[in-house]
Amino acid sequence: MPQHIHYPEGGEKITVGSDGRLQVPDHPIIGFVEGDGIGPDINRACMRIWDQAVERAYGGRRKIHWAELFMGEKAAGLFDGNYFPDETKAALKDLLISIKGPLTTPVGGGFRSLNVSLRQELDLYACVRPVRHYAGVPSPLKRPEEVDVVIFRENTEDVYAGIEYQSGSAENQKIARFLREEMGESFFDEAGIGVKPISPFGTKRLVRKAIEYAIEHDRESVTLVHKGNIMKFTEGAFRTWGYEIAREEFADQTITEEELYATYGGKRPEGKVVIKDRIADIMFQLMLLRPTEFDVIATMNLNGDYLSDAIAAEVGGVGIAPGANMSDNVAVFEATHGTAPKYANQDKVNPGSLLFSGVMLLEHIGWSEAADLIAAAYEKVVAAGIVTYDFARSLEGATEVKTSQFADAIIDQMCGTIDLERIRRERDEAIEAERQAREQRRVVAPLEEMIASGRVPHTVADLMNPNLVTLSGDTSVEDAMHLMRERRISSVVVQPTADDEEQGWGIMTQRDVISRVVSATKQPSQVRIAEAATRPLITVAEDTSLLDCAERMGSDNIRRMVVVDTQGRPIGIISDTDIFASVEQFGLPE
Ligand code: NAP
């Protein structure tokens, strides 16, 4: 029998259906932890906003029934010094969906941190941080509205797993001896030693969640961020296992970036999520220079830690960044800042981080109308210069208000007229226009686009130009010339006809036309391209590494080769200038 936690009457529990999806009743019970320090101030303000949004969006048909759960100082007061009572753990699991304010980490007492305990106890393996810009929020970027990503950060592995051996300790000496004597490693004396475990299990469940999110929310891509070029068996393995889970479980809903270029010529097939990967350091540049390339990001603990704060800062959102920690079914949404104790009970701070964590919660349970209403009202209020003290510092001419007054202003806006239909339509249109512009760039100049978007090519298929024009050997040279001029290409691939099958595939370049047709005063309309073509084709298999390809080009003194698939069919062209451009951008290939 719970001592202090009571579920409100009139509410029903959220459950998981046999299809693994959340079953959300119209009157769900959702847990909340008020939090310490500024927690009560922001929680009070946010609850009013969330409840009002649900009321407005569904005309009273839906309502959240809040169940207070206890963690932190409030729990310690009620449960005899216990900061994280079993009753709360059980309720968080039982209710599936909860939201919490910030918690003080008790000093001493053997705690690492309440947040770490929470993640471990409930196996909340994915930290999810959506980052987008809200109009009016101060940002250092020229076009902050281009940033709209959701980061899935692995929560349980990596150097964060806490496997560390302090310099000088007996354990450190033991492991150092083992590494030197048994494994032949060398490193400086007295080095502290940390271990970085990355497992297929940990990787796959995280990437699975990211892909599921992308499919459900019609996102274009999932990017695996890693430093696999240096840490091959941990970060590199994360990349490998990430692609593996996409292939194993989402073959019908996903394609790789390689397929996007090689098979689909840069045009994303309707509804398919593109799985791609980026080296972590390049990712930081790209999020500043080409943020529209990215939708959902899946990465390990340490990369995710750096990346989520850096991207949040781009949109001025560190103070208002929302977040959630999730397991397969349990989700705890939370403000990402701390308890800011110096502002406690002053009704002063910005409720944005908790507020948008609640917006995430509403989206998670499928109540997107209420979520959109809050976001739209928030933008109107901030655009009118009504902000809390922190934003007032950087917004000239702003009106500084208290936390509760800020909540009042949002509620006022929600009660006025907000044309949600129009806001959504404009947003969808902007996203679609952006997608089409990107697609156009990929189709017109695939190689330039690939390199500029940070994709590191490994094989000739990664780097080749897939815009190959193949014509039957029976085509007249005249027709081929028209086509070459129209498409601005200097060669066409010649397919053998039934009569000359044994000669195989060939290529006809502009130079061939000059030397074999024009200079021989033959009429281009009278000559078949099979007669003007060069055969045999100099080919390279699609899985050839760039280094091997470069070596062949050098030793055979050739400038371009036709890339063929496993059945020997031409699928693209690679030239020495492609390899030159790739090495210039990414250095020597592995
Ligand atoms: P903090 O509480 O996040 O506060 C640092 C500064 O950030 C504040 O002084 C304030 O800056 C600004 N700030 C934080 N929340 C704000 C808000 N809602 N509105 C406006 N400004 C806000 O970090 P801390 O001082 O390092 O940590 C305090 C306690 O929180 C510690 O016990 C720590 O363990 C805990 N903590 C908890 C969580 C969590 O529960 N998720 C996370 C981090 C830290 P200005 O002074 O410049 O105005």
Side-chain angles (χ1 to χ4, degrees):
M1 205 36 204
Q3 242 183 307
H4 296 289
I5 294 178
H6 304 291
Y7 292 167
E9 282 184 19
E12 274 179 77
K13 283 197 284 190
I14 294 175
T15 53
V16 177
S18 52
D19 58 355
R21 300 174 82 88
L22 283 185
Q23 306 285 313
V24 184
D26 280 343
H27 286 244
I29 304 175
I30 291 180
F32 79 95
V33 174
E34 193 177 51
D36 301 327
I38 54 173
D41 277 349
I42 55 175
N43 191 65
R44 232 182 346 263
C46 290
M47 276 208 171
R48 286 200 289 129
I49 300 172
W50 297 326
D51 286 343
Q52 189 62 39
V54 171
E55 166 74 29
R56 298 284 309 170
Y58 307 110
R61 183 167 59 82
R62 287 177 165 165
K63 177 176 162 44
I64 294 174
H65 295 256
W66 297 102
E68 181 161 15
L69 316 180
F70 303 100
M71 280 183 84
E73 286 164 359
K74 199 163 180 180
L78 287 169
F79 292 84
D80 201 18
N82 187 348
Y83 283 80
F84 190 11
D86 289 343
E87 215 166 276
T88 297
K89 290 173 196 161
L92 288 166
K93 288 182 197 162
D94 186 41
L95 293 176
L96 300 180
I97 308 293
S98 308
I99 188 159
K100 66 175 264 297
L103 297 168
T104 308
T105 296
V107 182
F111 290 93
R112 268 184 78 190
S113 134
L114 276 178
N115 292 311
V116 173
S117 314
L118 174 69
R119 283 169 209 165
Q120 285 172 350
E121 289 281 346
L122 278 77
D123 193 25
L124 304 174
Y125 59 82
C127 173
V128 186
R129 295 268 296 266
V131 190
R132 57 163 284 210
H133 183 246
Y134 291 96
V137 173
S139 151
L141 291 194
K142 278 193 191 137
R143 286 190 297 275
E145 67 282 1
E146 289 187 345
V147 177
D148 185 1
V149 295
V150 183
I151 303 158
F152 283 74
R153 167 187 170 195
E154 209 288 327
N155 246 345
T156 63
E157 296 198 301
D158 205 350
V159 284
Y160 277 69
I163 310 176
E164 286 201 301
Y165 302 97
Q166 192 178 5
S167 171
S169 67
E171 291 86 353
N172 175 291
Q173 284 165 7
K174 194 170 173 183
I175 199 149
R177 212 167 26 250
F178 170 76
L179 288 172
R180 287 195 176 108
E181 292 170 12
E182 311 251 336
M183 308 300 284
E185 306 294 355
S186 66
F187 43 87
F188 291 125
D189 284 345
E190 295 175 46
I193 296 174
V195 178
K196 179 184 175 79
I198 304 285
S199 69
F201 173 74
T203 300
K204 287 187 176 182
R205 66 178 180 172
L206 187 269
V207 177
R208 178 187 296 117
K209 227 177 179 42
I211 296 177
E212 281 170 354
Y213 180 93
I215 292 171
E216 204 146 297
H217 293 82
D218 186 29
R219 292 292 192 133
E220 202 176 63
S221 64
V222 173
T223 305
L224 309 168
V225 177
H226 60 89
K227 190 75 185 157
N229 52 337
I230 305 295
M231 292 170 275
K232 295 191 181 2
F233 304 128
T234 49
E235 305 241 343
F238 177 88
R239 168 185 183 271
T240 307
W241 292 322
Y243 280 113
E244 218 166 86
I245 185 96
R247 225 176 18 248
E248 288 165 355
E249 296 184 12
F250 303 96
D252 291 343
Q253 296 116 310
T254 61
I255 57 167
T256 61
E257 191 177 32
E258 185 187 330
E259 289 168 327
L260 173 69
Y261 282 101
T263 312
Y264 300 99
K267 271 182 173 287
R268 183 177 72 109
E270 187 69 26
K272 301 262 188 192
V273 175
V274 179
I275 311 294
K276 52 189 178 182
D277 74 283
R278 293 290 182 271
I279 303 282
D281 41 334
I282 296 174
M283 188 68 190
F284 279 85
Q285 293 176 37
L286 292 170
M287 276 311 303
L288 285 167
L289 303 174
R290 293 173 72 106
T292 56
E293 299 279 338
F294 304 100
D295 269 320
V296 175
I297 293 170
T299 190
M300 287 146 286
N301 217 335
L302 182 60
N303 294 337
D305 190 6
Y306 297 154
L307 206 53
S308 38
D309 278 5
I311 302 177
E314 286 183 18
V315 293
V318 180
I320 60 160
N325 289 295
M326 298 185 184
S327 70
D328 287 343
N329 296 319
V330 177
V332 180
F333 296 80
E334 65 171 7
T336 52
H337 54 70
T339 58
K342 65 182 175 188
Y343 297 123
N345 303 317
Q346 292 179 28
D347 193 20
K348 180 176 175 77
V349 296
N350 192 336
S353 180
L354 189 67
L355 181 67
F356 284 110
S357 300
V359 168
M360 248 180 113
L361 183 157
L362 291 167
E363 280 167 358
H364 186 72
I365 63 171
W367 294 12
S368 58
E369 295 79 6
D372 287 352
L373 203 55
I374 297 173
Y378 178 90
E379 285 189 325
K380 283 193 167 195
V381 171
V382 176
I386 300 170
V387 291
T388 45
Y389 84 96
D390 51 327
F391 279 9
R393 286 191 295 216
S394 47
L395 279 177
E396 225 169 284
T399 311
E400 183 183 326
V401 294
K402 290 177 173 298
T403 313
S404 56
Q405 293 169 324
F406 186 73
D408 292 340
I410 292 185
I411 290 169
D412 279 352
Q413 282 296 343
M414 290 195 302
C415 292
T417 43
I418 291 185
D419 188 348
L420 266 194
E421 277 295 312
R422 187 181 55 81
I423 292 172
R424 283 179 162 184
R425 195 176 54 245
E426 284 175 2
R427 193 173 158 82
D428 288 350
E429 281 169 3
I431 290 173
E432 191 49 39
E434 184 59 53
R435 280 184 181 179
Q436 283 184 8
R438 272 199 309 276
E439 180 162 302
Q440 184 67 10
R441 288 200 301 266
R442 288 196 301 260
V443 171
V444 171
L447 197 63
E448 285 85 340
E449 191 55 20
M450 190 190 328
I451 288 177
S453 74
R455 178 170 180 237
V456 182
H458 300 279
T459 63
V460 292
D462 291 344
L463 193 61
M464 69 183 189
N465 183 342
N467 287 340
L468 202 65
V469 174
T470 301
L471 297 175
S472 157
D474 283 337
T475 314
S476 75
V477 169
E478 184 179 39
D479 286 349
M481 287 170 74
H482 289 326
L483 191 88
M484 287 161 81
R485 203 170 65 85
E486 200 177 279
R487 304 251 186 117
R488 296 186 189 178
I489 49 176
S490 60
S491 62
V492 289
V493 172
V494 181
Q495 192 175 12
T497 58
D499 332 330
D500 60 3
E501 209 153 349
E502 71 291 347
Q503 288 200 58
W505 292 79
I507 190 165
M508 186 188 78
T509 61
Q510 290 178 348
R511 180 186 286 225
D512 294 330
V513 174
I514 301 298
S515 64
R516 294 180 188 153
V517 183
V518 179
S519 63
T521 58
K522 291 181 185 168
Q523 279 295 343
S525 57
Q526 305 300 316
V527 184
R528 292 160 59 237
I529 60 170
E531 297 161 44
T534 302
R535 282 161 157 157
L537 211 52
I538 302 172
T539 61
V540 57
E542 59 178 331
D543 57 356
T544 308
S545 75
L546 290 181
L547 273 187
D548 286 348
C549 180
E551 203 181 304
R552 242 188 92 192
M553 283 181 170
S555 63
D556 296 0
N557 194 22
I558 33 183
R559 295 201 47 206
R560 57 166 72 187
M561 288 197 264
V562 172
V563 182
V564 289
D565 67 10
T566 46
Q567 270 111 49
R569 281 187 305 247
I571 54 170
I573 285 194
I574 184 156
S575 72
D576 54 359
T577 47
D578 300 337
I579 298 185
F580 182 94
S582 166
V583 173
E584 188 271 325
Q585 168 82 3
F586 300 110
L588 264 192
E590 283 166 51

